[in-house]
Amino acid sequence: MTITILTTTYNRGKEVKVLWESIRKQTKKDFEWLIIDDGSTDDTKSIIEQLQSESDFPIRYIYKTNGGKHTALNAGIKEIDSELTFIVDSDDCITNDCISSIIEVHKKYKNNQNICGY
């Protein structure tokens, strides 16, 4: 797996499904989706569990006590073991070729030591 899509969320159960719809349309599936739930009190967990059962790509869900987006990002970064990390907010969506585009750019520039992000 080349990319981890890292999403932090807090009480956005309904919005996260829109993001999932865009992620599942990816033309390249060389990724996992890591969701860090920052203490949601809505139905986020049950919605993510439903999405996990319907997905053709891996989804990891981690629940933590509410501490703010920065703490959720830090918790997520500790869990990543892929080559690349792509942070996407829970109320966003991505284009169908997003992952394939990132991988193509990475192939072109991965040996350049002077780049810290694409």
Side-chain angles (χ1 to χ4, degrees), residues 6-69:
L6 173 58
T7 300
T8 62
T9 191
Y10 176 74
N11 288 341
R12 288 194 171 158
K14 292 180 176 76
E15 288 87 354
V16 78
K17 192 165 186 177
V18 173
L19 174 56
W20 174 76
E21 288 288 350
S22 70
I23 292 173
R24 73 187 279 213
K25 293 177 184 174
Q26 292 307 295
T27 57
K28 191 162 188 96
K29 303 283 185 175
D30 189 12
F31 65 88
E32 75 165 341
W33 188 21
L34 173 59
I35 302 162
I36 307 297
D37 186 337
D38 190 36
S40 292
T41 57
D42 67 355
D43 57 351
T44 296
K45 182 179 180 181
S46 62
I47 289 171
I48 298 302
E49 288 171 346
Q50 176 191 358
L51 300 179
Q52 285 173 314
S53 71
E54 296 175 21
S55 290
D56 62 348
F57 56 88
I59 299 174
R60 280 196 293 157
Y61 172 81
I62 298 172
Y63 182 90
K64 63 175 274 318
T65 304
N66 182 264
K69 182 177 180 176

Side-chain angles (χ1 to χ4, degrees), residues 96-110:
N96 296 355
D97 64 345
C98 182
I99 297 300
S100 63
S101 295
I102 292 169
I103 290 172
E104 288 305 311
V105 169
H106 182 60
K107 284 179 185 176
K108 184 175 179 179
Y109 294 107
K110 70 181 178 180

